[in-house]
Every structure is written in C-alpha cells, then in structure tokens.
Amino acid sequence: MTTATPTTESTAVTEESRDAIFDELGFPTDPDNLYTQTVGQMLSAASLMDLPHRTRIILAQPKNEVIVNFPVRMDDGNFRLFKGYRIQHNNVLGPYKGGFRYHEHVNLDDVKSLALLMTFKCALVRIPFGGGKGGVKVNPRTLSEGELQRVTRRYCAAISHMVGPDQDIPAPDVGTNAQIMAWFADTYMLSSGQADNNALRVVTGKPVSFGGSTGREKATGQGVSDVLAEMLPGIGIPVQGMTVVLLGFGNVNSWAGRILQDMGAKIIAVMDHTGAIRNDDGIDCHSLAAYSEKHFGIRGYEKQATATGSGTHASHGVEVISEEELYKTSCDVFIPGALEQMIQPKQAAMMDCKVMAEAANAPCTPAGDRVLRDKGVEVIPAILANAGGVTVSYFEWLQNKSCVTWDGEHVDRELNRHMVIAARRALAARERYSCDLRTAAFAAALEHLGDVYEVRGIFP
Ligand code: NAD
C-alpha cells in the first residue's frame, strides 16, 4: 500500500474520486444522507492508499439489502403491520455481524450505514466477522411485553433464511436487549430444526443463563473506557479527575459512565431523551443507572438525589439543565452515546471539550466533524471507540462454539488487549497517512480488507 500526505490538492482529489464513485453507483446527492456520508468517509481513507477501484465499489454497497413487512397480533386483538430490515454489508472476513434495533425512525439508508460501519469495526479490531445490521421500525416503549415478544419472533421468522451461526449473527442495539436476543435465538432454533446448542450462536448478547457471555452487557462501555485510558495520556489528559459529559444514558453510556467514574473520572453532565442534568462535583452514575432503569430515563433524578443523597457521591447539587447547556458544558471528554447525526454544526459550535469519544455510531455529521476539527477537538471515531461490544460478542460466539465459559476477568483482559491494539493500530495509521484519526481508523481497516480481497481475488 502506498501513502500520500493530504494537502489541499489531495483533498480535492479525494472529493473528485469519491464523487466519481457516487456517480458510478447512482448514489443520491443529498448531503444529509447518512449512508452517503459514511461511504464518503470510507472513500476518503481509500484515496490515501493504493486500493483497487473494484475493492472501493464493492465496499461502497452492501451485498444484500432485505426489507420485510410482517403482521403481528396486538393485545387488543387487531393486527398491525411492521417493517423490518436486515442489511448484510460485507462478509469477506467472516460471517456478517451486527445488531438490530427497535426505533420509530429506522430506515433503509441508516441501517445500511450502520452495517458498513460494522464491516470496518470488525476489520479494525481484527475479529473474523463481516458487517451487518437490522432493525424494526417501532417504538418499543409503546409495546406490551407480549407484543414485543411477538414482534421479535415474527421479525426473526421473516429473516431466518438469511441469518445463522456461521452466516449472519445479530446482537442488541438501540431499543433491544438480552431478553429480545433470547426470544430471537429460541425462535431460530425451533423454526430451523436446530434445537442443539450449536444454533445458540445465531445471536450474541444473550442472557448469561442462555449462552450469553459474562461482560457482554457492559462491553461497549468498557471498550470506550479502555480506548480512553489508552489514548488520553498521549493527549495530556489524566483519567484520574478528568471531567466527562455523557449524551445518552442507555446501555453504552450508562456503563461507560460507571466504569470511568470507578477509574477516577468525574461525570459532570448527562442527557437522555427525558432530560439533562449537571453537577460540577460529579454525578454518581451507579445511582443514576439504577434510577434510570426503574424510571425509564433520568428525568426526576435530581429530586431523588436531593431526598436520598448521603453526600458521599456528591448526589446533592444535581440541577436540571437545558439541551443547549449540556452541549456548552466545559469538559475534558464529551461522549455521544445516543443516536446518529445528533452533533451537527450548531451542536459542534457549542461544544467545549478537548476530546470527543464516539460511543454511538455516526453521532456526528461530516459538517459537525469539520467544526470540531477546526476547534482542535480530538475525535475518537466510532469504529474504534465502540468496538468493544462486537468484540465481546465475538467472545460469546467463540465460547458457544467451543462449549466453554470464560470468567469476567478473562473477558475484560482479552477485551482490553483487543481495544489497546486497535487504538495503537489507528494511531500508527494516522502517522503513516498524516490524517485525522477517523480517516486513519478507516484506513487501518481498509488495509486489512484490501489485503484479503487481494489474496482471495474476485470470483469467478
Ligand atoms: P440504548 O437504547 O440503550 O440507549 C440509547 C440512549 O440514547 C438512551 O439513553 C436514550 O434516552 C438516548 N436518546 C435517544 N434519543 C435521544 C435524544 N434525542 N436526546 C438525548 N438522548 C437520547 O442504546 P445503546 O445500546 O446504548 O446504543 C447507543 C448507541 O451506541 C447507538 O448508536 C448504537 O448503535 C451504539 N452501539 C451500541 C452497542 C451496544 O452494544 N449496545 C455497540 C456498539 C454501538
């Protein structure tokens, strides 16, 4: 692979070669389209290396795009039709791998974008999986438990011809959890006639009692923390005492908050879909996570914190703030862990942080990214920062395949090893290509994908 130092001229070349591929593949020109944004980031990295045109166009499109519409009986006896997606982006490195989400805004281009990111995440961390993603267009909070189970079983039945333990392996994402994975696995095992435990590997993120891995629930937050602990000293920020703002407080960020707090960081502001809070003395993320789980969000925590706070975790002094105040909160590290494209130029202009670690996938638009870069913010991209989830999913799949059980210490140690090596790999690529860390992470993944395409060749 040859490298080139980016200059104004090479940036123009980058855009020119990206636009040529967009034209060739008939992509929309909409600058707000998440899929073309993500492909654009990948092609920017590709233009820094000597990657064949065929590899670029293959990686710019998913291999398979499936949309299903399926009926589900609701509790009132009526039937409702649901729309589901499964996108298989690439499997040159191994079976497709990627979560499925339940959210009212799930759409084809967003799922395609998330599937592409999975291909690059697995390649960067060097786990033997490709990239996939799925979803159902529904707000899970509006469903009863019975309805949620029936939606999950019908979604599984609708895509069961394309998933499998060595073919395509889903996992949890926004709005889905271990219980939903258990229903998915059970449906697949019964409907495919594979009741043996081998078929358990069809999904990861299962409950520990049903083939799940210790440490999977916290894995993405743990991986974010491992990457920060590895990279921050080089940026001159000690983890001990650093200040953190969390955007989103679901699975990923509630764990990142708890783990970073235990490492000595101070979480000074948190926002989820129900509201935002701040405490300059630090918010106790353990008590906030317990509260949020019970109340389906952080709204009202400030009242509970005042009523029950012992003061030992500085739970007094929590104040409600606006969304704007959250973005403007001065901190060392800002961690977006909610949905895609939340950080646009307006939000980026308000942000006052030294580092942004992307716990969420594609939380920042390219325009928002440029504002942060101009402000000198170090952005740790999603394909590196949040790769801990799929890495422990790989451990779960391995444990199921070899009928062994790893203890928590073993999982944490192996996860840390993978995350630290991936972080160093991205930093080394940044040196090699003289580019920003996002482009470098894509480039480090592309080198691996390019090499495998080179040795495998294109059939026939
Ligand atoms: P989750 O559903 O558990 O949490 C999502 C969080 O986002 C919630 O706290 C919700 O309140 C918040 N949110 C939603 N809309 C918001 C808004 N408008 N303003 C503020 N907050 C809002 O989902 P998760 O599993 O924690 O996933 C979060 C992100 O991390 C997603 O981008 C997902 O793709 C990515 N991710 C998840 C995993 C995983 O293992 N779960 C792995 C890798 C990446």
Side-chain angles (χ1 to χ4, degrees):
M1 304 268 171
T2 54
T3 65
T5 307
T7 58
T8 314
E9 201 180 312
S10 69
T11 309
V13 171
T14 302
E15 284 172 8
E16 217 173 88
S17 60
R18 182 201 60 198
D19 291 349
I21 288 185
F22 278 18
D23 284 349
E24 182 179 343
L25 300 177
F27 281 177
T29 46
D30 175 7
D32 294 329
N33 180 290
L34 183 60
Y35 188 62
T36 53
Q37 287 177 5
T38 313
V39 175
Q41 288 168 347
M42 182 270 287
L43 292 176
S44 293
S47 68
L48 299 180
M49 57 180 66
D50 187 16
L51 194 71
H53 175 75
R54 60 172 184 275
T55 310
R56 296 177 201 215
I57 54 173
I58 289 170
L59 290 169
Q61 285 285 33
K63 276 202 171 175
N64 302 307
E65 305 175 23
V66 168
I67 303 179
V68 291
N69 294 289
F70 54 90
V72 174
R73 185 173 39 78
M74 308 307 282
D75 289 347
D76 64 6
N78 290 319
F79 282 85
R80 197 175 135 190
L81 203 65
F82 290 86
K83 189 177 282 295
Y85 302 84
R86 187 69 192 169
I87 304 298
Q88 297 177 326
H89 177 259
N90 190 275
N91 64 348
V92 76
L93 300 180
Y96 303 102
K97 183 89 189 82
F100 64 93
R101 66 173 51 178
Y102 290 168
H103 194 275
E104 61 271 36
H105 294 145
V106 164
N107 64 74
L108 180 64
D109 277 346
D110 286 7
V111 183
K112 281 165 64 176
S113 170
L114 295 164
L116 182 150
L117 287 173
M118 287 304 298
T119 298
F120 284 83
K121 211 175 288 184
C122 295
L124 177 63
V125 187
R126 303 289 198 267
I127 54 178
F129 287 137
K133 204 78 181 189
V136 177
K137 192 172 170 56
V138 60
N139 177 354
R141 294 190 193 98
T142 62
L143 302 181
S144 69
E145 190 176 328
E147 289 168 340
L148 197 58
Q149 179 172 169
R150 291 194 291 278
V151 166
T152 303
R153 290 187 183 279
R154 279 303 301 244
Y155 172 60
C156 175
I159 62 166
S160 63
H161 62 285
M162 53 193 299
V163 298
D166 296 303
Q167 193 181 351
D168 183 357
I169 306 136
D173 192 71
V174 173
T176 55
N177 56 25
Q179 173 61 74
I180 290 171
M181 297 308 116
W183 291 328
F184 191 101
D186 182 67
T187 309
Y188 178 82
M189 291 163 84
L190 294 175
S191 60
S192 66
Q194 301 176 65
D196 59 278
N197 274 1
N198 188 40
L200 262 182
R201 291 183 292 123
V202 68
V203 281
T204 55
K206 301 179 290 290
V208 173
S209 59
F210 184 43
S213 176
T214 305
R216 175 59 185 89
E217 200 199 316
K218 66 166 184 155
T220 310
Q222 180 73 56
V224 172
S225 311
D226 287 354
V227 167
L228 283 171
E230 172 64 18
M231 297 185 75
L232 288 181
I235 302 170
I237 302 172
V239 173
Q240 186 70 37
M242 73 175 179
T243 50
V244 176
V245 169
L246 299 174
L247 168 58
F249 199 71
N251 171 288
V252 176
N253 260 8
S254 73
W255 277 109
R258 280 175 275 185
I259 294 164
L260 288 169
Q261 175 183 327
D262 292 347
M263 288 162 72
K266 199 155 63 162
I267 317 304
I268 56 171
V270 178
M271 178 165 85
D272 75 357
H273 70 288
T274 66
I277 54 173
R278 182 170 65 201
N279 185 352
D280 292 340
D281 293 329
I283 295 164
D284 178 10
C285 284
H286 290 278
S287 97
L288 184 61
Y291 179 89
S292 168
E293 200 172 320
K294 192 164 161 205
H295 300 271
F296 306 106
I298 66 171
R299 181 187 288 148
Y301 176 71
E302 70 290 349
K303 295 188 200 116
Q304 134 123 1
T306 309
T308 61
S310 63
T312 50
H313 280 296
S315 49
H316 289 292
V318 175
E319 55 166 336
V320 174
I321 56 172
S322 66
E323 185 173 341
E324 194 173 313
E325 285 170 312
L326 180 117
Y327 281 110
K328 286 183 171 167
T329 301
S330 176
C331 62
D332 292 312
V333 181
F334 188 99
I335 308 183
L339 300 177
E340 296 76 36
Q341 295 184 301
M342 288 185 75
I343 301 174
Q344 308 208 1
K346 182 180 163 205
Q347 288 73 19
M350 289 193 274
M351 284 165 62
D352 181 7
C353 61
K354 297 182 186 121
V355 173
M356 180 177 80
E358 295 185 337
N361 287 307
C364 191
T365 62
D369 207 20
R370 276 194 293 277
V371 173
L372 292 175
R373 209 180 313 151
D374 289 347
K375 288 166 75 164
V377 175
E378 177 78 83
V379 175
I380 305 180
I383 62 168
L384 170 61
N386 73 26
V390 71
T391 304
V392 176
S393 273
Y394 166 54
F395 299 161
E396 178 176 330
W397 183 85
L398 264 185
Q399 290 171 73
N400 292 164
K401 193 171 166 80
S402 45
C403 298
V404 295
T405 305
W406 296 6
D407 60 33
E409 222 173 273
H410 187 61
V411 171
D412 284 351
R413 196 171 52 244
E414 279 300 302
L415 172 62
N416 182 266
R417 197 171 65 79
H418 279 74
M419 297 308 292
V420 166
I421 295 173
R424 291 179 187 167
R425 190 172 285 132
L427 288 171
R430 180 164 69 175
E431 286 291 305
R432 231 172 12 263
Y433 297 106
S434 308
C435 59
D436 61 88
L437 199 56
R438 184 188 306 288
T439 309
F442 271 107
L446 267 174
E447 286 175 349
H448 185 39
L449 288 158
D451 284 350
V452 175
Y453 266 114
E454 203 55 40
V455 292
R456 285 186 64 165
I458 308 287
F459 175 82

